[in-house]
Amino acid sequence: MASIHIEAKVGDIAETILLPGDPYRAKHVAETMLTDAVCYNKVRGMLGYTGYYNGKRVSIQGSGMGMGSTAIYVNELIETYGVKNLIRVGTCGAIKTDINVGQVILAMSASGDSGANSAYFGSMHYAATADFELLQKAYEASKRLKINTIQGSIFSTDTFYDSDPHRWDKWEEHGILGVEMESQILFTLAKRLNAKALSILTVSDNIRTGEAASSKDREQSYMDMMKIAFELA
Ligand code: HPA
C-alpha cells in the first residue's frame, strides 16, 4: 500500500529520514553519501531514497518548500510508512546581525505564522519544539565532528517575500536566530503523531546585513549539516 504522494511500499522507508526541501538535494546526497541507495519515490518529482550511512539504514527525501508541502510528506511518512525520526536539513535566513552565512543552527523551537497551526489551535498558541533526544544527539555529534553549531529558536513563515523592513524586529528581540518555512509544522505534526523531529539549518543569507553565501561556502556548510544529521540514523 502506498500513500497519496509517495509510491513506496511499506517497509521501503527507514525509521530515520532526512528531509531537505529540495528533492535534487536528496538525490545528490543519496548518490554521494549513502551506499546502496535505492530511489523509492518519484511522484511529483519529490525524490526519496533509502540507503546506508556507516552501515545504518536511513532515508532522505525532499519535502518541498513551505509548511503546506512539508505537512503532506510528514503526515504520510509517519502514518503510512511508520517513520519515527524526521530530521529537516535545510537553510534559513539569519535575522540576528552577528550570525554569519554558513553557520549551522540546531533548532530547539519554531515560532511561526502557519495557517495550519491557527486552523488547529484557534487563538491559542502552541510552542512547537524539537525532540530533546534528537537535539542532544545532534549536539554531541557536532562536538565529535568539530562542527560549530548554535542552538536556539527559529521562525517558520508562510511568506518568503514581504516588504515590511521591520518585519523581524520583534522576533529578533525575542531571540529568534533565523527564518525558514518548514520547521513549525514538522515539530507540531511529529508531536501529534508520536514521532520525533529536529531541524538542522545552515544560514544561507543574513536578512539584516544582506550577506549571502557563495555556492562553494554553501556546499561546505551544507555537507557539515548533513554529517551531523546522518549521525542520528
Ligand atoms: N526567508 C524564509 N526562508 C528562508 C530564507 C528567508 O529569508 N532564507 C532561507 N530560507
Side-chain angles (χ1 to χ4, degrees):
M1 192 192 72
S3 61
I4 294 174
H5 303 90
I6 302 174
E7 62 192 336
K9 294 193 299 294
V10 171
D12 285 352
I13 305 179
E15 277 197 0
T16 299
I17 192 164
L18 273 54
L19 297 170
D22 179 358
Y24 283 108
R25 230 357 135 159
K27 177 175 163 48
H28 178 71
V29 170
E31 287 172 352
T32 56
M33 297 180 80
L34 299 183
T35 50
D36 300 327
V38 174
C39 180
Y40 64 73
N41 191 54
K42 289 186 177 162
V43 176
R44 288 179 183 253
M46 205 57 83
L47 303 169
Y49 299 80
T50 298
Y52 294 84
Y53 186 82
N54 285 341
K56 299 204 184 93
R57 191 165 181 259
V58 63
S59 295
I60 180 166
Q61 89 154 63
S63 67
M65 286 180 282
M67 284 179 275
S69 180
T70 302
I72 286 173
Y73 293 103
V74 170
N75 260 295
E76 294 182 16
L77 287 167
I78 300 172
E79 300 255 83
T80 302
Y81 296 98
V83 172
K84 302 266 188 277
N85 305 304
L86 301 97
I87 301 140
R88 166 163 158 71
V89 279
T91 58
C92 70
I95 60 170
K96 227 168 154 277
T97 39
D98 60 356
I99 297 183
N100 295 323
V101 297
Q103 175 67 52
V104 178
I105 293 176
L106 304 181
M108 293 164 48
S109 71
S111 298
D113 57 20
S114 164
N117 241 61
S118 42
Y120 197 84
F121 295 106
S123 63
M124 309 291 231
H125 298 271
Y126 176 73
T129 51
D131 178 77
F132 179 72
E133 197 183 316
L134 288 182
L135 180 65
Q136 188 178 34
K137 278 191 186 159
Y139 180 71
E140 285 165 1
S142 72
K143 292 284 165 238
R144 263 198 319 278
L145 296 166
K146 302 198 181 343
I147 297 166
N148 171 43
T149 60
I150 320 181
Q151 293 58 243
S153 309
I154 57 148
F155 188 101
S156 305
T157 183
D158 278 343
T159 48
F160 185 91
Y161 293 106
D162 190 286
S163 55
D164 177 1
H166 299 294
R167 184 181 183 197
W168 301 116
D169 291 359
K170 58 170 92 68
W171 296 101
E172 184 181 6
E173 278 161 29
H174 287 80
I176 298 294
L177 306 173
V179 182
E180 48 85 92
M181 303 184 69
E182 293 81 15
S183 297
Q184 185 187 28
I185 201 72
L186 166 65
F187 292 170
T188 303
L189 287 177
K191 282 281 181 345
R192 190 181 307 158
L193 303 174
N194 289 317
K196 296 179 176 184
L198 177 67
S199 281
I200 310 178
L201 305 170
T202 64
V203 174
S204 57
D205 54 291
N206 189 303
I207 294 172
R208 300 296 201 178
T209 64
E211 189 193 3
S214 70
S215 55
K216 193 161 164 282
D217 292 349
R218 200 153 44 206
E219 191 65 24
Q220 178 58 48
S221 45
Y222 208 89
M223 283 308 168
D224 284 348
M225 172 178 69
M226 287 295 173
K227 284 184 207 150
I228 298 173
F230 278 126
E231 288 293 315
L232 304 178

